Amino acid sequence: MRVTWPLAARILLAGTAATLLLSGCTSDKPADQQTITVSAAASLHGAFEQIADEFQKEHPEIKIAGINYDGSSTLATQIVEGADVDVFASADERTMAEVTEAGFGHEPVIFASNTLVIAVPKDNPANIDSLSDLSRADTVLCASQVPCGNASQQLLKNAGVSLNPVSEEQNVTAVVQKVAAGEADAGLVYASDVQDEPDLAAIVPEGAEDVVNSYPIATLDDNPAAQEFLDFVIGERGQEILTDYGFGSGAAQGNG
């Protein structure tokens, strides 16, 4: 026997079915998802990409809208000028101080450290063995206002070496790329930058252990999701990832 439902009942049933269908399609999306943006020193790129991936798997309620990688001094300027950033990770304490002293951010936490190496092409055509050899080679450095450049100047000064670089770059990634492309005989970069570069070799210069950059991280607002990300970075898993990428312990004291 065929049952004929009243029109009102049919409309109600259709609406209920549509609601169930829509809820089934969207049930895998976290409700009230929070969003954060991160600015991080260029040398952190590989490590922070993995950290971000694992963090979001652990915290599906938080979306990292983007990570901006560049020289720390460039990022600091952007923040002071009003860039929308929730977390800032700098390659040295001096640059972080520019941000906090301008009234941005909470108390920074040191989460990693790094030292300098001489990066050369695998075959080392200029036969670079020490800092003094850089004065006769086409050498590229970070600009002095960038943390890796500031550290490079200190390292060279300590060694009594003076040189005229063929170029000065705004972030350490650009130095790595120029040496890898054969556009320079050598460059001073962080140890972590050479670790996974198949076309480069690293020479640890004398005195490198005396010029250590400490990496601070800070939240720039009261966004709880930003604090969750910071906690992941300084937590056990975040520290394991940073170690895998060649960073030293956050306990080191930098040259500022």
Side-chain angles (χ1 to χ4, degrees):
M1 181 177 66
R2 181 179 179 184
V3 177
T4 303
W5 292 86
L7 178 60
R10 280 182 282 162
I11 293 174
L12 179 60
L13 287 170
T16 301
T19 300
L20 289 171
L21 179 62
L22 287 172
S23 63
C25 292
T26 60
S27 61
D28 58 338
K29 284 183 137 184
D32 301 322
Q33 188 176 54
Q34 304 169 75
T35 301
I36 61 171
T37 56
V38 179
S39 285
S43 54
L44 290 166
H45 184 275
F48 264 40
E49 285 297 291
Q50 184 173 344
I51 283 174
D53 182 60
E54 293 193 21
F55 172 79
Q56 290 195 136
K57 288 177 181 176
E58 187 174 306
H59 295 275
E61 78 282 4
I62 299 173
K63 176 183 178 182
I64 299 177
I67 304 180
N68 181 25
Y69 300 102
D70 209 327
S72 296
S73 57
T74 298
L75 299 174
T77 298
Q78 293 171 353
I79 291 167
V80 172
E81 290 181 351
D84 184 14
V85 179
D86 297 295
V87 181
F88 177 40
S90 172
D92 72 352
E93 295 171 278
R94 180 190 65 163
T95 308
M96 178 63 77
E98 295 176 12
V99 172
T100 57
E101 289 173 5
F104 297 88
H106 297 113
E107 185 69 23
V109 178
I110 302 298
F111 69 96
S113 62
N114 226 336
T115 54
L116 294 172
V117 297
I118 303 170
V120 296
K122 275 288 186 187
D123 56 353
N124 194 7
N127 295 313
I128 304 296
D129 291 315
S130 65
L131 290 172
S132 60
D133 291 335
L134 298 180
S135 59
R136 62 170 174 77
D138 289 339
T139 303
V140 60
L141 301 175
C142 290
S144 59
Q145 70 269 24
V146 180
C148 67
N150 182 50
S152 297
Q153 294 300 327
Q154 186 63 54
L155 181 65
L156 292 167
K157 180 181 177 181
N158 291 351
V161 174
S162 177
L163 57 86
N164 294 313
V166 294
S167 70
E168 295 184 334
E169 305 299 327
Q170 291 302 309
N171 61 65
V172 71
T173 301
V175 177
V176 171
Q177 290 172 344
K178 286 208 165 187
V179 179
E183 297 176 21
D185 297 321
L188 284 174
V189 302
Y190 296 122
S192 61
D193 292 304
V194 183
Q195 180 167 291
D196 295 320
E197 284 291 336
D199 298 325
L200 297 180
I203 299 165
V204 180
E206 186 176 352
E209 70 279 2
D210 298 322
V211 182
V212 182
N213 271 26
S214 293
Y215 283 53
I217 186 170
T219 57
L220 302 183
D221 52 34
D222 295 321
N223 185 343
Q227 185 63 48
E228 290 280 1
F229 181 79
L230 186 152
D231 290 342
F232 187 91
V233 172
I234 66 176
E236 182 178 355
R237 182 55 188 150
Q239 292 297 294
E240 288 175 350
I241 294 170
L242 287 159
T243 298
D244 289 344
Y245 276 84
F247 290 89
S249 167
Q253 294 300 312
N255 64 314

